[in-house]
Amino acid sequence: MSDEPRISVMVVDDHPIWRDGVARDLTEHGFDVRATAPDADAALRIARTVRPDVVLMDLNLGGTSGVDATREITAALPSTKVLVLSASGEHKDVLEAVKAGASGYLVKSASATELVDAVHRTAAGDPVFTAGLAGLVLGEYRRMADAPAGDAEPPRLTERETDVLRLVAKGLTARQIAERLVLSHRTVENHVQSTLRKLQLHNRVELARYAIEHGLDGE
């Protein structure tokens, strides 16, 4: 049996049958489902208490939207990652969720296997999107990158940190980057965390955006 701590999760959805079903499925797959919540206010209050590794967030929560809840949770709990699980695949909803701090976005038609993999990857810090949505997000970042840049000189990265950053922008996981650069998984994670600190960013989605804005996503 693995000695690694289980990934802790909170499920936020206003439909009790769906919410309880997702919680049950995740528990059966070995996750520590610490809580569920039916709305945004309860989600923020409970998240502050249980401090989960990952929050599975629906967007349609009745009063306060899941986008607002995502923004509040990621601001209050920087180490907690939010993975949106929504019935909507609308581009506007995806972009608003990511801009609010979501680390990924899955539509509810995803299979149980895809969901389990997505929660694992989100907890590891990887951006996770339903097929087709990653390109949408990166395309939006490209559009934003066309805005005039400021005059401030960017922080200096080492050559290896830059190599890792380029591959993060291409959507590779830490393990894939390790294989590509012939490094250990831990070394790649150390480079990622060092780069995040230098650039004052919070996650790999923001790293990918930074890389695109600075032309580091090409060959």
Side-chain angles (χ1 to χ4, degrees), residues 191-209:
H191 284 311
V192 168
Q193 293 305 314
S194 174
T195 304
L196 286 170
R197 286 193 298 272
K198 286 183 179 181
L199 301 180
Q200 297 183 355
L201 302 175
H202 300 97
N203 55 50
R204 284 174 170 80
V205 174
E206 293 182 3
L207 273 183
R209 173 181 173 181

Side-chain angles (χ1 to χ4, degrees), residues 3 6 11 18 27 31 33 39 45 59 69 73 90 96 112 131 158 160-161 180 208:
D3 293 330
R6 293 191 297 165
V11 181
W18 175 270
T27 298
F31 294 98
V33 180
D39 56 52
R45 184 177 68 254
L59 292 186
I73 288 174
E90 293 292 326
E96 284 185 352
T158 67
R160 186 56 84 189
E161 286 170 344
R180 179 76 65 88

Side-chain angles (χ1 to χ4, degrees), residues 135-206:
L136 166 69
V137 174
L138 294 180
E140 174 66 5
Y141 285 161
R142 287 183 187 278
R143 186 190 66 76
M144 294 170 65
D146 289 338
D151 295 330
E153 183 178 347
R156 289 183 176 274
L157 301 179
T158 67
E159 182 177 353
R160 186 56 84 189
E161 286 170 344
T162 301
D163 290 340
V164 170
L165 182 56
R166 289 181 191 277
L167 296 178
V168 167
K170 292 178 183 295
L172 272 67
T173 66
R175 293 193 182 281
Q176 289 170 330
I177 293 172
E179 292 175 3
R180 179 76 65 88
L181 297 180
V182 195
L183 299 171
S184 71
H185 179 266
R186 182 178 296 277
T187 297
V188 170
E189 287 292 352
N190 288 341
H191 284 311
V192 168
Q193 293 305 314
S194 174
T195 304
L196 286 170
R197 286 193 298 272
K198 286 183 179 181
L199 301 180
Q200 297 183 355
L201 302 175
H202 300 97
N203 55 50
R204 284 174 170 80
V205 174
E206 293 182 3

Side-chain angles (χ1 to χ4, degrees), residues 83-89 94 103-111 114-115 118 121 127-137:
L83 172 63
V84 171
L85 182 60
S86 173
S88 171
V94 178
S103 296
Y105 195 109
L106 285 187
V107 295
K108 286 185 174 180
S109 58
S111 68
E114 289 171 329
L115 176 59
R121 291 182 59 194
V128 181
F129 295 92
T130 291
L133 296 184
L136 166 69
V137 174

